[in-house]
Amino acid sequence: MFLDTLLTRNPGLVDAAAALHRDGAIPPDTYVMDLDAVEANAALLAAEAERLGVGLWFVVKQLGRNPELIQAIARHIPRSAAIDPAEARVLLAAGARPGNVGHLVQIPRRTLPEVLARRPETVTVFDPANARAVSDAARELGFVQDILIRIEGAEGSVYPGQEGGVPLARLDVFAEAAEALDGIRIGGVTAFPCVLCDPSTGRPAATPNFGLALKARELLVSRGHHDLRLSAPSATSMASLPLLAELGATHGEPGHALTGTTPLHAVDPAQPEKPAYVYVSEVAHTLDDGRPAVFGGGFYARSHIRGALLPRTGKRLGVQDAPPENIDYYRLLDAPADGADVRLGDTVLFAFRTQIFVTRSTVAVVSGVASGSPRLNGLYDAQGRALQ
């Protein structure tokens, strides 16, 4: 999906990753992350958001919750959006300040005291029971916690496994109940996804959920609530920040823009954010019909992967589709049409959209790529834990 963009914008990362694998410094099933590119992207996003008056909470699930990358991003975007308690812990340990927690996954009731004790800016709640749980935990800790009300998405707009939220038609009833709870304050609204990229052009556009969030904020203002946040997550990037500002969002939640891997980057290499990772595997065996099989572990089901590069020969091969319900022990490439030489152990590089935190991959952080002196900083697992 991003191989051409990566080769155009960050060829040094391709060379560095191939050399690290060739020399045995990294295993197959490794994402090689360009630390300097990630930090540069964060700086770009922070400057543009400040210019437009939009706040940012950054997301790191797609980065493998990596502490080195978190620290680099937080130097420019201090506050984060944690999708769940595990991510909140990693972000806090790496020094990022908590912005929004419960971004996609509600904070479990028994975990609320631990998370709220860190004083997040906001907590997203999906229903009255979670609002009461947050209120009870905050009251026990001796403060009032701001909440973001998650608005139920428009029909057909919500991804499976991410259902939930307050229907707009029920917001008045929800708000009345929340206003009676003395441990919380209604601090704003959110929905997901609020922005998506057009499948053919990659251009970002508002979804119906954005409109629902705007209507929800208007209703809350009519009830006397002021200074309300409106976070409009999904596809937050240099290209979409003006849209967020124009439509009235107060916050975006950049994730893939930090690695230059939004759908727009796949079709437009000239986007300001620089591609910042490459996936490394190797040829495990070759089928009798000539199709190479490469080691798996990090092939995210929604990656839209199309091609692979074999650096030893410069050969490009297509990547065959694989059912997401099967474990990706291996991934098959197309057999070379010209009978090109493919050997056991050959390095194979890919560039595709991923969510590293749901893989079993290794994450290698490198720096110095842009200066021509790449060095391996460290190896981590997909949850950000350092490896020997």
Side-chain angles (χ1 to χ4, degrees):
M1 183 179 182
F2 298 103
L3 192 53
D4 289 332
T5 300
L6 178 64
L7 289 166
T8 300
R9 292 290 306 280
N10 200 351
L13 177 59
V14 173
D15 294 340
L20 286 168
H21 179 258
R22 183 190 63 234
D23 296 343
I26 61 173
D29 182 25
T30 294
Y31 284 94
V32 180
M33 314 293 297
D34 184 339
L35 176 68
D36 302 324
V38 169
E39 181 162 3
N41 291 339
L44 279 173
L45 289 159
E48 179 69 353
E50 183 177 13
R51 184 183 74 82
L52 294 168
V54 176
L56 294 179
W57 296 319
F58 72 91
V59 182
V60 295
K61 60 191 174 74
Q62 74 288 347
L63 301 176
R65 298 169 170 173
N66 186 274
E68 285 194 69
L69 301 177
I70 291 169
Q71 290 164 7
I73 297 164
R75 283 193 280 269
H76 306 277
I77 305 172
R79 290 192 178 271
S80 63
I83 68 159
D84 59 21
E87 189 155 295
R89 293 184 188 105
V90 174
L91 285 158
L92 289 163
R97 295 161 62 191
N100 181 19
V101 299
H103 160 77
L104 290 176
V105 179
Q106 292 288 267
I107 304 300
R109 180 172 58 85
R110 294 172 182 82
T111 313
L112 278 168
E114 172 199 348
V115 174
L116 296 190
R118 301 290 189 161
R119 300 305 304 267
E121 190 176 340
T122 63
V123 178
T124 296
V125 298
F126 285 42
D127 64 8
N130 273 279
R132 286 193 296 273
V134 173
S135 177
D136 290 345
R139 190 177 64 249
E140 286 292 319
L141 291 167
F143 59 83
V144 176
Q145 174 65 57
D146 275 12
I147 63 167
L148 290 185
I149 303 170
R150 160 79 170 251
I151 303 302
E152 183 181 61
E155 185 175 356
S157 71
V158 179
Y159 302 126
Q162 298 184 25
E163 299 88 353
V166 178
L168 185 63
R170 297 276 299 164
L171 181 57
D172 248 330
V173 174
F174 178 92
E176 184 176 4
E179 289 160 1
L181 299 172
D182 55 9
I184 59 172
R185 186 187 82 89
I186 294 175
V189 296
T190 188
F192 188 87
C194 287
V195 176
L196 289 177
C197 295
D198 182 273
S200 57
T201 67
R203 293 291 167 186
T207 70
N209 296 336
F210 205 143
L212 291 174
L214 289 167
K215 290 177 182 178
R217 184 170 63 179
E218 290 173 6
L219 187 151
L220 292 173
V221 169
S222 74
R223 294 186 63 89
H225 297 280
H226 302 291
D227 300 321
L228 294 173
R229 306 169 185 85
L230 192 162
S231 184
S234 189
T236 303
S237 67
M238 292 290 285
S240 67
L241 279 171
L243 177 67
L244 267 60
E246 177 186 349
L247 294 180
T250 64
H251 288 77
E253 301 184 12
H256 283 286
L258 295 164
T259 50
T261 53
T262 75
L264 181 55
H265 291 84
V267 297
D268 183 6
Q271 286 301 299
E273 299 98 333
K274 190 175 184 178
Y277 68 76
V278 61
Y279 181 63
V280 181
S281 189
E282 70 178 62
V283 174
H285 56 276
T286 301
L287 276 61
D288 191 57
D289 61 10
R291 287 178 293 168
V294 302
F295 290 106
F299 289 105
Y300 179 59
R302 294 169 55 205
S303 64
H304 303 293
I305 186 170
R306 295 289 180 266
L309 171 68
L310 282 72
R312 184 179 62 81
T313 61
K315 187 72 178 176
R316 298 274 290 269
L317 295 177
V319 181
Q320 301 198 341
D321 289 337
E325 62 268 22
N326 290 78
I327 299 171
D328 66 329
Y329 296 112
Y330 304 101
R331 193 67 179 263
L332 292 176
L333 308 182
D334 292 340
D338 57 1
D341 178 29
V342 178
R343 302 175 187 171
L344 178 70
D346 269 351
T347 302
V348 187
L349 303 182
F350 307 82
F352 52 83
R353 187 172 174 87
T354 191
Q355 298 281 345
I356 293 175
F357 83 114
V358 298
T359 73
R360 55 188 189 276
S361 302
T362 298
V363 176
V365 178
V366 299
S367 57
V369 171
S371 66
S373 301
R375 59 187 177 277
L376 177 61
N377 290 18
L379 297 177
Y380 300 82
D381 70 11
Q383 302 302 320
R385 294 178 288 250
L387 303 173
Q388 294 295 327

